[in-house]
Amino acid sequence: MRIYALYGFGILLCISGVGYLAAEYVRYLSEVGKLLSLVLTTGMFAFLGKFLEAIGW
Amino acid sequence: MVAGMGHTRYLYLGLSLACFAGILGIFIVDGYLGVYDILYITYDEYEREIEFDNQWVPESEGAYYGGEIAFGKPAYFRYQIENRTFSSYEDRLTVSVWEGGNKLVDLVDKQVKITSFDSAVVEWTLTSDELATSVINEEYSNYTIRISSSSRERKVIFGYRVRSIIPPPPVPLK
């Protein structure tokens, strides 16, 4: 149970970190940068979902 | 079989973290690093900030709106350049006022050198005397301030109002 709490804490840190960077610097991103960020964000959550599924969530 | 499943789930975790690291890298390299400039215009006790590379600041054909200045009052300009790169930035900066494709006056012509991850500020003042020959017969005119260096040119359009709006005469009470 404790390990799940750590996973949850890590996930929250990831999301808040990306949220902070997005709030501060997304206005300076180029069009290519925005597209790559979108693709990587989709990939990040997809792989995270697969990981959580694999560990039995 | 169990070992394979374990590898798979850590592969997913690794890929997820790799995507996260990629996003961080894009925000830092594409969003943060670079040379950025901001213009502050102060007139009538009011300061307007124009962040040039900010995509949320409205612009038209590369020109930004600087506001409306009343004739006779000075406008103070503060141009800040931030060098967020690992090398020093050096360039010649010129600032001039234009109207209808004609240059009216040069305001700044200086060499700017900024060390890595540092910033510099260039200030100038625009008074109505410098525009008097052009604006004297008009109530309202638009002018363009061009901030030029070898790598970029910024255009800020502002209006100069000669006369204040005269309120209508009071209606006598019956």
Side-chain angles (χ1 to χ4, degrees):
Chain A
M1 188 62 196
R2 199 179 300 166
I3 193 75
Y4 291 144
L6 281 177
Y7 284 143
F9 186 62
I11 291 165
L12 281 178
L13 279 181
C14 289
I15 293 172
S16 60
V18 173
Y20 169 76
L21 287 171
E24 285 289 313
Y25 297 111
V26 72
R27 54 193 167 173
Y28 298 117
L29 288 183
S30 63
E31 294 300 318
V32 177
K34 284 179 187 171
L35 180 63
L36 278 176
S37 297
L38 182 66
V39 171
L40 288 175
T41 306
T42 309
M44 183 178 73
F45 285 112
F47 288 126
L48 199 60
K50 290 297 287 181
F51 169 70
L52 293 175
E53 184 186 5
I55 63 173
W57 275 30
Chain B
M1 182 66 184
V2 174
M5 282 185 68
H7 283 159
T8 305
R9 74 181 180 197
Y10 286 117
L11 177 66
Y12 289 142
L13 183 63
L15 286 171
S16 181
L17 289 175
C19 289
F20 179 67
I23 295 167
L24 287 183
I26 289 170
F27 273 103
I28 291 168
V29 174
D30 194 26
Y32 177 74
L33 295 180
V35 178
Y36 294 93
D37 49 349
I38 307 171
L39 180 68
Y40 300 93
I41 310 173
T42 306
Y43 52 88
D44 286 344
E45 307 301 318
Y46 173 76
E47 183 174 83
R48 176 183 290 269
E49 176 185 324
I50 301 173
E51 223 176 335
F52 289 107
D53 285 316
N54 184 344
Q55 296 180 13
W56 297 340
V57 175
E59 51 103 8
S60 173
E61 304 289 332
Y64 296 80
Y65 179 62
E68 185 182 286
I69 305 169
F71 193 77
K73 293 190 175 180
Y76 303 97
F77 293 81
R78 187 157 49 93
Y79 183 61
Q80 182 176 331
I81 309 167
E82 287 186 29
N83 178 21
R84 301 180 200 161
T85 64
F86 294 98
S87 58
S88 65
Y89 171 86
E90 187 168 5
D91 213 337
R92 183 180 166 213
L93 183 76
T94 59
V95 181
S96 50
V97 183
W98 295 67
E99 185 196 23
N102 301 314
K103 187 198 281 188
L104 298 182
V105 61
D106 283 315
L107 297 171
V108 174
D109 186 352
K110 70 181 293 185
Q111 195 76 10
V112 178
K113 186 175 184 180
I114 311 168
T115 54
S116 176
F117 292 101
D118 202 357
S119 64
V121 174
V122 179
E123 294 179 314
W124 66 89
T125 304
L126 180 65
T127 63
S128 48
D129 295 340
E130 288 157 319
L131 305 175
T133 53
S134 165
V135 81
I136 195 93
N137 293 321
E138 298 178 40
E139 274 195 9
Y140 188 88
S141 289
N142 283 324
Y143 295 89
T144 303
I145 286 195
R146 289 190 185 183
I147 305 168
S148 307
S149 60
S150 63
S151 57
R152 66 185 76 188
E153 183 179 68
R154 306 300 195 186
K155 287 191 283 186
V156 179
I157 296 174
F158 65 93
Y160 235 95
R161 181 162 38 85
V162 174
R163 283 193 288 266
S164 300
I165 298 169
I166 301 169
V171 180
L173 295 172
K174 292 180 181 177

